Amino acid sequence: MESKLVDQFHFSSTVSLHSSNRWWSGDTVAVVTGANKGIGLAVVKRFAELGLTVVLTARDEERGKKATEKLREEGLGNVRFFALDVSKAASIKTFVSWVETTFGGLDILVNNAGVSFNDIHENSVEFAETVIKTNFHGPKLLTESLLPLFRLSPSISRILNISSRLGSINKVRNHNIKETLQKERLSEEEIEGVVKMFLGDVKEGRWEREGWPQIWTDYSVSKLALNAYSRVLAKRFEGGRLSVNCFCPGYTQTSMTRGQGTHTPDAAGEVAVSLALLPPHDLPTGHFFLGFGPYNQSRL
């Protein structure tokens, strides 16, 4: 699809605590996964600075608690921690139960947790199953499990999936796969079929010749699937009180890039929070937001 400017939605990368468009309050609950460091931590901190109640989740309990304690020492007492490993169904079930018991529901979900086992210029698929489970199946299961808890209020509940342009459909060279994912009425079963096909190609050692993305292949396929699922989910709730969008933060200085990049996690987190907090009358759904100014976006 042709890209347009996010300015069409009066988008600003800076959200103020006293913004005239402020629709949230201290009772607004935002959940952020993979948030003990990097972009996830930056998102938690910015949400908390803006007065939301924020749940910082991390797979590593010790690191998650330390990150939360540090934020509280900075005066951000509205941050709560809960251990969550999105690659494990049991962990997700426990977390969802805790959210329901503790808050009764949530308003915002930022699916940020993700892994890659490649250095910048490497392209191994040795850990493809783990990458797919963590970057696609985990966020999908967490989202589906939390759906009944979203508060479908006039402010519109929001899901923002931290994704990547590496998962763009134009990175796929296999015509049949591309045709499937571009279907107007794409189903979740078809997305699962594509993922299963990829893992099969990896197992049989033919993934390099089957037209999959050529850079960080397993990571790219995981984000390709996440983007496709986001589009299907957005259509499911089209016209309702739930917005589903994706955001590619670009080349950010995180542990995944070994500290390389063009901008900091804080800069990426600022944009992510701005997108998550767009006023209801400006909030799109089923869109893919890319990088920094000009703020490009297109339909998923």
Side-chain angles (χ1 to χ4, degrees):
M1 293 289 182
E2 183 181 356
S3 290
K4 302 176 183 177
L5 290 178
V6 171
D7 290 339
Q8 174 185 353
F9 300 100
H10 315 295
F11 174 69
S12 169
S13 63
T14 302
V15 178
S16 168
L17 181 63
H18 305 292
S19 170
S20 60
N21 289 320
R22 175 173 175 153
W23 56 267
W24 63 91
S25 71
D27 294 325
T28 302
V29 177
V31 171
V32 186
T33 67
N36 64 288
K37 61 181 179 180
I39 296 173
L41 181 58
V43 169
V44 168
K45 183 176 182 180
R46 191 66 185 125
F47 274 146
E49 289 172 343
L50 291 169
L52 290 80
T53 294
V54 195
V55 180
L56 183 160
T57 78
R59 178 180 53 188
D60 188 306
E61 186 167 1
E62 183 179 351
R63 292 178 180 176
K65 285 182 176 179
K66 283 185 178 179
T68 303
E69 288 168 5
K70 185 176 180 182
L71 291 176
R72 287 177 176 169
E73 289 170 1
E74 294 175 12
L76 299 174
N78 48 337
V79 179
R80 301 284 296 274
F81 170 71
F82 199 89
L84 171 64
D85 185 342
V86 298
S87 69
K88 296 181 179 178
S91 180
I92 290 175
K93 184 177 180 180
T94 300
F95 174 70
V96 171
S97 178
W98 176 80
V99 169
E100 182 173 23
T101 301
T102 307
F103 303 107
L106 74 158
D107 304 278
I108 301 171
L109 170 63
V110 179
N111 278 311
N112 171 73
V115 296
S116 174
F117 295 90
N118 284 303
D119 282 329
I120 296 297
H121 300 295
E122 292 181 346
N123 192 29
S124 167
V125 293
E126 181 182 356
F127 301 102
E129 286 193 12
T130 299
V131 172
I132 294 293
K133 181 183 291 185
T134 305
N135 298 1
F136 169 57
H137 284 132
K140 179 175 181 288
L141 179 58
L142 176 63
T143 298
E144 294 290 337
S145 300
L146 285 172
L147 282 177
L149 300 185
F150 276 100
R151 297 192 256 245
L152 305 183
S153 63
S155 63
I156 305 180
S157 291
R158 299 114 191 277
I159 296 173
L160 183 65
N161 292 322
I162 305 302
S163 190
S164 172
R165 77 185 88 187
L166 292 177
S168 302
I169 195 71
N170 62 9
K171 304 296 183 184
V172 179
R173 295 164 294 124
N174 184 305
H175 176 74
N176 291 332
I177 297 169
K178 185 177 290 189
E179 188 176 64
T180 295
L181 293 177
Q182 288 180 318
K183 283 183 177 180
E184 182 64 27
R185 297 190 176 184
L186 178 66
S187 69
E188 292 179 33
E189 290 74 21
E190 286 171 319
I191 299 171
E192 291 288 356
V194 168
V195 170
K196 185 177 180 180
M197 186 186 305
F198 168 66
L199 292 175
D201 287 345
V202 168
K203 186 176 181 179
E204 297 299 325
R206 56 174 181 260
W207 60 276
E208 290 180 289
R209 61 177 183 271
E210 290 300 321
W212 299 103
Q214 294 177 296
I215 299 174
W216 276 19
T217 302
D218 53 5
Y219 179 84
S220 297
V221 172
S222 73
K223 295 302 185 180
L224 180 72
L226 183 63
N227 291 343
Y229 168 66
S230 300
R231 175 160 66 92
V232 170
L233 190 62
K235 280 182 177 287
R236 192 199 307 177
F237 287 92
E238 197 166 26
R241 308 306 302 178
L242 180 65
S243 166
V244 184
N245 294 300
C246 291
F247 169 53
C248 169
Y251 193 27
T252 311
Q253 298 159 4
T254 65
S255 59
M256 190 176 290
T257 62
R258 307 302 188 266
Q260 300 180 53
T262 58
H263 50 267
T264 65
D266 285 345
E270 178 72 45
V271 177
V273 167
S274 296
L275 291 171
L277 295 180
L278 281 170
H281 61 274
D282 284 340
L283 183 65
T285 190
H287 282 240
F288 182 93
F289 293 88
L290 173 60
F292 296 73
Y295 305 94
N296 289 323
Q297 61 88 22
S298 61
R299 296 292 298 184
L300 279 165

